[in-house]
Structures are given as C-alpha cells and as structure tokens.
C-alpha cells in the first residue's frame, strides 16, 4: 500500500520571508512615544522578538530600534539633572526630541529600500 501526501512541501517552515512593510511599521511605531509616552519601546520590542526569525532583516532593524530607544532613555535621564547646569539639559532635551522624531522616519524609508538602519547617536547595548 502506498501513502500519498496531499500537501506538497514547497517551502521549509524555517524559511524567512521578505516583509519591508513590517520593517517600516516597526520603525514608525517608535513615534508612539509622542502619543503614549512608552509605546516607542514596547511595540517595536514585541514586533522584533516575535518576528526576528521569520522576517529577513528584522533582527538587524529590531536591534537598532531597541538600542536607539534605550539610548534616548539614557540621554533623557542624563539631561534632566543637566538642566541645573546653565540650562544645557534643555538644549539636550530639544535635540533628543528632534532626533527621536526624525530618525525613525529616516530608518523607515531606509527599511523600505532594503538598506540597513542608520545608527546615528546609538549606543550598542544589544550586540
């Protein structure tokens, strides 16, 4: 007796897929910080942890996003006491606010064009 498999195996279950839209959404979701105050780290972290083995480039982009968000948090914490030092902390907070708004958009465009993320002003916490 011969066993016939009705579902052909055309692709491995571990094969990664190309999904530039998900990479773009991951980068743009960093802007949730301006809406919720904390979503800019949580949402990309969840997307990265769940999709890093399934989407091509997600591991690289996810690490860059998490490192960037942790860097922003650290610099914000440092700039708060620096406000007392001749107001330098206020200038730092303005600079952080501009960079935190512009860089996710730049990296979303880079992700849609299959380019690596920009690592401007990022401390590599996660290697």
């Amino acid at each position: 007796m011969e066993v016939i498999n009705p579902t052909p195996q055309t692709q491995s279950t571990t094969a990664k897929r190309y999904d530039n839209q998900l990479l773009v959404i991951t980068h743009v979701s960093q802007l949730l910080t301006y809406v919720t105050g904390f979503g800019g780290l949580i949402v990309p972290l969840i997307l990265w942890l769940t999709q890093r083995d399934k989407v091509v480039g997600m591991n690289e982009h996810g690490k860059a996003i998490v490192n960037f968000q942790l860097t922003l948090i650290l610099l914000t914490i440092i700039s708060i006491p620096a406000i007392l030092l001749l107001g330098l902390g206020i200038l730092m907070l303005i600079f952080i606010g501009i960079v935190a708004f512009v860089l996710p958009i730049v990296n979303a465009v880079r992700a849609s064009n299959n380019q690596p993320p920009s690592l401007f002003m990022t401390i590599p916490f996660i290697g």
Side-chain angles (χ1 to χ4, degrees), residues 25-51 58 62 65-70 72-73 126:
I25 289 170
T26 307
H27 281 288
V28 174
S29 68
Q30 294 178 76
L31 299 177
L32 285 172
T33 299
Y34 293 104
V35 178
T36 64
F38 57 85
L41 176 64
I42 302 298
V43 174
L45 181 65
I46 291 170
L47 287 172
W48 171 54
L49 290 175
T50 59
Q51 300 295 318
M58 179 58 85
I65 291 169
V66 172
N67 285 334
F68 179 67
Q69 288 297 316
L70 292 175
L72 289 179
I73 291 169
I126 300 171

Side-chain angles (χ1 to χ4, degrees), residues 109-125:
V109 171
R110 291 176 65 88
S112 69
N113 293 329
N114 291 326
Q115 296 175 347
S118 172
L119 300 176
F120 172 73
M121 201 182 83
T122 303
I123 299 170
F125 294 105

Side-chain angles (χ1 to χ4, degrees), residues 56-105:
V56 174
M58 179 58 85
N59 198 28
E60 178 184 12
H61 286 271
K63 285 179 184 178
I65 291 169
V66 172
N67 285 334
F68 179 67
Q69 288 297 316
L70 292 175
T71 301
L72 289 179
I73 291 169
L74 179 68
L75 290 176
T76 303
I77 291 171
I78 291 171
S79 66
I80 290 173
I83 291 174
L84 300 174
L85 299 172
L86 303 172
L88 294 177
I90 294 173
L91 294 175
M92 269 179 77
L93 286 173
I94 292 171
F95 178 73
I96 290 169
I98 292 170
V99 169
F101 185 77
V102 171
L103 205 59
I105 296 170

